[in-house]
Amino acid sequence: MGILEIIGELINPGPVGEVDFNDKKYEVQQNLIPVRFVISVIIIGIVEYLFVFQKEYMHDYSQLLKINAFLIIYLFIASVTRIKPDYNNLGWVPFLINNPFRISDSINRFLVILNILLMPGKFITKSVIGFYMYCRKQK
């Protein structure tokens, strides 16, 4: 962070997005719930396959436990986090050129990247929770 960014934010502060840790929205179209669940199970199966059938991890159960614990923590963080960056403040040419007089555009770009990294986990968790609610409703 340069001195120009600090002075620029003091003179004309830019809007910054927000991170909300209370995401309880699990509404999915009813006809797509089984398809989303199957895609989610396939994604989890591919990730597990890539780690389980590596020669160095095949007989090391503690390493497999660490990988699965990391996967569960990632899915939990993705399910409870809702990131809303301010897309109007991403730099001079949106997302390409940094505004040297503001740090808020760098924060918003970081929030966009964080949102992209958490999207697969959010898709998986919403699909699994939606399928669970769908099955409970069918009883």
Side-chain angles (χ1 to χ4, degrees), residues 58-105:
M58 199 146 195
H59 299 292
D60 189 11
Y61 296 113
S62 65
Q63 190 70 19
L64 291 175
L65 186 63
K66 288 177 190 176
I67 291 169
N68 285 322
F70 175 76
L71 181 65
I72 290 171
I73 291 170
Y74 166 73
L75 291 175
F76 176 75
I77 290 172
S79 70
V80 299
T81 307
R82 182 176 30 179
I83 300 172
K84 295 184 282 187
D86 187 357
Y87 291 105
N88 294 325
N89 185 19
L90 291 177
W92 281 344
V93 177
F95 211 82
L96 295 177
I97 299 175
N98 184 28
N99 185 349
F101 302 110
R102 287 194 177 159
I103 187 101
S104 59
D105 66 330

Side-chain angles (χ1 to χ4, degrees), residues 2-64:
I3 191 75
L4 290 175
E5 290 178 336
I6 294 172
I7 294 171
E9 286 293 327
L10 290 175
I11 294 171
N12 185 13
V16 178
E18 62 180 310
V19 178
D20 184 19
F21 291 104
N22 193 13
D23 190 12
K24 300 287 184 186
K25 188 176 166 186
Y26 295 111
E27 298 171 9
V28 182
Q29 292 180 358
Q30 293 294 320
N31 57 351
L32 295 178
I33 289 176
V35 174
R36 285 178 59 126
F37 179 72
V38 168
I39 292 171
S40 297
V41 169
I42 290 172
I43 291 171
I44 291 173
I46 289 171
V47 169
E48 289 290 327
Y49 177 79
L50 290 175
F51 286 113
V52 168
F53 290 107
Q54 297 292 325
K55 288 189 179 194
E56 60 267 8
Y57 299 140
M58 199 146 195
H59 299 292
D60 189 11
Y61 296 113
S62 65
Q63 190 70 19
L64 291 175

Side-chain angles (χ1 to χ4, degrees), residues 118-131:
L118 291 178
M119 272 185 192
K122 189 169 285 296
F123 176 81
I124 291 171
T125 55
K126 284 189 177 193
S127 300
V128 170
I129 291 172
F131 186 73

